[in-house]
Amino acid sequence: MSEHGTEVQDVTEVPDDARGLVPAASGCGCGGGGCHGEDADGHQHGYITAKDNYQRRLRRIEGQARGLQRMVDEEKYCIDILTQISAMTKALQSVALELLEDHMAHCVVAAAREGGAAAEEKMQEASEAIARLVRS
Amino acid sequence: MSEHGTEVQDVTEVPDDARGLVPAASGCGCGGGGCHGEDADGHQHGYITAKDNYQRRLRRIEGQARGLQRMVDEEKYCIDILTQISAMTKALQSVALELLEDHMAHCVVAAAREGGAAAEEKMQEASEAIARLVRS
Amino acid sequence: MSEHGTEVQDVTEVPDDARGLVPAASGCGCGGGGCHGEDADGHQHGYITAKDNYQRRLRRIEGQARGLQRMVDEEKYCIDILTQISAMTKALQSVALELLEDHMAHCVVAAAREGGAAAEEKMQEASEAIARLVRS
Amino acid sequence: MSEHGTEVQDVTEVPDDARGLVPAASGCGCGGGGCHGEDADGHQHGYITAKDNYQRRLRRIEGQARGLQRMVDEEKYCIDILTQISAMTKALQSVALELLEDHMAHCVVAAAREGGAAAEEKMQEASEAIARLVRS
């Protein structure tokens, strides 16, 4: 693997059509289906765009994980490895914060409108996810 | 990829011999070579063990990154994706803290003994790496 | 100040009646007044209870800040000071997470029900607050 | 307290002479006394300067804790309180990182030079303090 000049940009090229095969109706468990940003026709154009964006960032994060293995293999300087880990942690955090924002703007809003115990549960669940992020 | 039952344990099996090809003498840049825990003969048995440990954990982290892509592909529930991201962040942090501990126990101690500007630089560099970890 | 045996439990005793003077109707800026958990009569019993809880924890945190000053004054061991800072940071985080949970359960839910641009703004604002907490 | 216009700049004015009374020789527990940055004469001018700097920042943090109590008293908007908590957390982190840097530059270097079990213990202890900071 040593022919790679840089460590953190090794991104697996998942073929684009592989993702299209996933049935769009698999749902997010939110109830009401609002979570994926469907428009009035039940299409998910907005979501598909976001999904590609998440996949691209997660493939890059996967590449960073492989880059770290290569750095350890090649016995790179510890501090340089730590720098890459910090960058990777920030990239992960950034994905998490965006997912959470999407979740709140869609699922949480939808649940709040429906009200009742389900809404309370969604809020509780979101709060717990936030606490895990803040503490990790 | 949908035949995988669990999302976070997909670990690439890097063939073991791939790692053996890396020249052990590539060094860590610390000067004095103390960073990799060489014993008096210049062998790095202790380090090799730790290296395997790091590689195993980083392969698992890479698997988590792939698991996340699959979860997004399959439009899993956002909160479940966030839970996996928190777990992955903690795993990364744990690798970073152990690397830092190793670095301090070897490189930093060695540099402190040598003294001079190089020692100060090592300390400064370690402090900056710690600040990046704390803030990421 | 050296007659204090322990560093982190010095809590200012704010007289209890001082807090009762604050007009309960000062509001939280959420619009609709839902943020403070008023019951149907406009009373805020639930909120007052939570308010006492927050005040007690914040006074303790203030005491920890004073304890830290005393430790520096008395030139306590650095590692012990760092341990207290970690404890204080966790206490602060815990207050923040509870405030955020209250905010989401009241203001965010209320805004979501009203809908429109105000709801979107509330969500955006909450997401930004979460990002600041995760990154701090 | 409502005559204060701003919430986070209320800093207790500890009289300056109060701090001068603390015996400078109380030590840091590091052994060898290197921790406080004594110069060759055993004076601690460098440290005293840093001590004032830490005290000033900790008094400001104490003021932020009081500001937060006032904000809760006055039922300020939750998001504004969270913003102040994020600022206070960052201020605390910054003090911790500087203390750690000082500790490493003095105590840890001194211990490394002495070597032996005490050096190992210092390293272990510093690593644990770092882990607590990273995880808090």
Side-chain angles (χ1 to χ4, degrees):
Chain A
M1 292 181 216
S2 56
E3 75 279 12
H4 289 81
T6 54
E7 278 78 16
V8 293
Q9 290 164 353
D10 175 32
V11 169
T12 313
E13 283 311 322
V14 174
D16 275 353
D17 58 353
R19 277 170 290 120
L21 300 175
V22 174
S26 61
C28 76
C30 286
C35 187
H36 289 156
E38 294 174 12
D39 60 26
D41 306 312
H43 295 309
Q44 302 184 326
H45 302 300
Y47 181 71
I48 291 292
T49 309
K51 198 166 149 175
D52 280 354
N53 176 285
Y54 289 126
Q55 293 292 35
R56 189 173 42 73
R57 289 155 74 184
L58 289 170
R59 280 199 305 274
R60 170 177 280 270
I61 287 166
E62 184 193 339
Q64 287 176 307
R66 258 197 308 280
L68 285 171
Q69 291 167 62
R70 204 159 47 235
M71 290 179 91
V72 169
D73 252 356
E74 298 174 0
E75 303 187 12
K76 295 293 187 197
Y77 187 40
C78 317
I79 296 292
D80 293 336
I81 301 179
L82 291 174
T83 301
Q84 295 303 336
I85 292 182
S86 292
M88 187 174 161
T89 304
K90 275 183 188 294
L92 258 180
Q93 254 182 8
S94 169
V95 168
L97 288 170
E98 208 166 307
L99 270 172
L100 187 65
E101 189 175 337
D102 279 356
H103 179 69
M104 284 177 52
H106 298 116
C107 306
V108 167
V109 164
R113 283 182 191 149
E114 290 179 24
E120 269 179 47
E121 197 195 317
K122 276 278 172 300
M123 285 314 198
Q124 186 58 37
E125 193 183 65
S127 293
E128 286 166 13
I130 293 164
R132 279 192 295 271
L133 286 178
V134 169
R135 290 180 171 136
S136 72
Chain B
M1 293 181 217
S2 56
E3 74 280 11
H4 289 81
T6 54
E7 277 79 13
V8 293
Q9 289 164 353
D10 176 31
V11 169
T12 314
E13 284 310 322
V14 174
D16 274 353
D17 57 354
R19 277 171 289 121
L21 300 174
V22 175
S26 61
C28 76
C30 286
C35 187
H36 289 157
E38 293 174 12
D39 60 24
D41 305 313
H43 295 310
Q44 301 184 326
H45 303 299
Y47 181 71
I48 290 293
T49 309
K51 198 166 150 176
D52 280 354
N53 175 287
Y54 289 126
Q55 294 292 37
R56 191 173 41 75
R57 288 155 74 184
L58 289 170
R59 280 199 305 274
R60 169 175 281 268
I61 286 167
E62 184 193 340
Q64 288 175 306
R66 257 197 310 280
L68 285 170
Q69 291 167 62
R70 204 159 47 235
M71 289 179 91
V72 169
D73 251 357
E74 298 175 359
E75 303 187 14
K76 295 293 188 198
Y77 186 40
C78 317
I79 296 291
D80 293 336
I81 301 180
L82 291 174
T83 302
Q84 295 303 336
I85 292 183
S86 293
M88 188 173 160
T89 305
K90 275 183 189 293
L92 258 181
Q93 254 183 8
S94 170
V95 168
L97 288 170
E98 207 165 310
L99 270 171
L100 187 65
E101 189 175 337
D102 279 356
H103 179 68
M104 285 176 51
H106 298 116
C107 306
V108 167
V109 164
R113 283 184 190 148
E114 288 179 26
E120 269 179 46
E121 198 195 315
K122 276 277 172 300
M123 285 313 197
Q124 185 58 36
E125 192 184 66
S127 293
E128 286 166 12
I130 293 165
R132 280 192 297 270
L133 286 179
V134 169
R135 290 178 171 138
S136 72
Chain C
M1 292 181 218
S2 56
E3 74 281 9
H4 290 79
T6 55
E7 277 78 16
V8 293
Q9 288 164 355
D10 175 31
V11 170
T12 312
E13 282 312 322
V14 174
D16 274 356
D17 57 355
R19 276 170 290 121
L21 301 174
V22 175
S26 61
C28 78
C30 287
C35 188
H36 289 157
E38 294 173 13
D39 60 26
D41 306 312
H43 296 309
Q44 300 184 326
H45 302 300
Y47 180 72
I48 291 293
T49 309
K51 198 166 148 176
D52 280 354
N53 175 286
Y54 289 126
Q55 293 292 37
R56 191 173 42 72
R57 288 154 76 184
L58 289 171
R59 279 201 304 275
R60 170 176 282 270
I61 286 166
E62 184 194 338
Q64 287 176 305
R66 257 198 308 282
L68 285 171
Q69 291 167 61
R70 206 160 42 237
M71 291 179 90
V72 169
D73 251 356
E74 298 175 0
E75 303 188 12
K76 296 292 188 197
Y77 186 41
C78 315
I79 296 292
D80 293 336
I81 302 180
L82 291 174
T83 301
Q84 296 303 335
I85 293 183
S86 293
M88 187 173 159
T89 304
K90 276 184 187 295
L92 258 180
Q93 253 183 8
S94 169
V95 168
L97 289 170
E98 207 166 308
L99 270 171
L100 186 65
E101 189 176 337
D102 279 357
H103 179 68
M104 284 176 54
H106 298 117
C107 307
V108 167
V109 164
R113 283 183 190 149
E114 289 178 25
E120 270 179 46
E121 197 194 316
K122 277 276 171 301
M123 286 313 201
Q124 186 58 36
E125 192 184 64
S127 292
E128 286 166 12
I130 293 164
R132 279 192 297 271
L133 286 179
V134 169
R135 288 177 174 140
S136 72
Chain D
M1 293 182 219
S2 57
E3 74 280 10
H4 289 80
T6 54
E7 277 79 14
V8 294
Q9 289 164 354
D10 175 31
V11 170
T12 312
E13 282 312 323
V14 174
D16 274 355
D17 56 354
R19 276 171 289 122
L21 300 175
V22 175
S26 61
C28 76
C30 287
C35 187
H36 289 158
E38 293 173 13
D39 60 26
D41 306 312
H43 297 308
Q44 301 185 327
H45 303 300
Y47 181 72
I48 291 292
T49 309
K51 199 166 149 177
D52 280 353
N53 175 285
Y54 289 125
Q55 293 292 35
R56 191 174 40 74
R57 288 156 74 183
L58 289 171
R59 279 200 304 275
R60 169 176 281 269
I61 286 166
E62 184 194 337
Q64 288 175 305
R66 257 198 308 283
L68 285 170
Q69 291 166 61
R70 205 160 43 236
M71 290 179 90
V72 169
D73 251 357
E74 298 175 359
E75 303 187 14
K76 296 293 188 197
Y77 186 41
C78 316
I79 296 291
D80 293 336
I81 302 180
L82 291 174
T83 302
Q84 295 304 335
I85 293 182
S86 292
M88 187 173 160
T89 304
K90 275 184 189 293
L92 258 181
Q93 254 184 7
S94 167
V95 168
L97 289 170
E98 207 166 307
L99 270 171
L100 187 65
E101 189 175 338
D102 279 356
H103 179 68
M104 284 176 53
H106 299 117
C107 306
V108 167
V109 164
R113 282 182 190 150
E114 289 179 25
E120 269 179 45
E121 197 195 316
K122 276 277 171 298
M123 286 314 200
Q124 186 59 35
E125 192 183 66
S127 293
E128 287 166 11
I130 293 164
R132 278 191 297 271
L133 286 178
V134 169
R135 290 179 171 138
S136 73

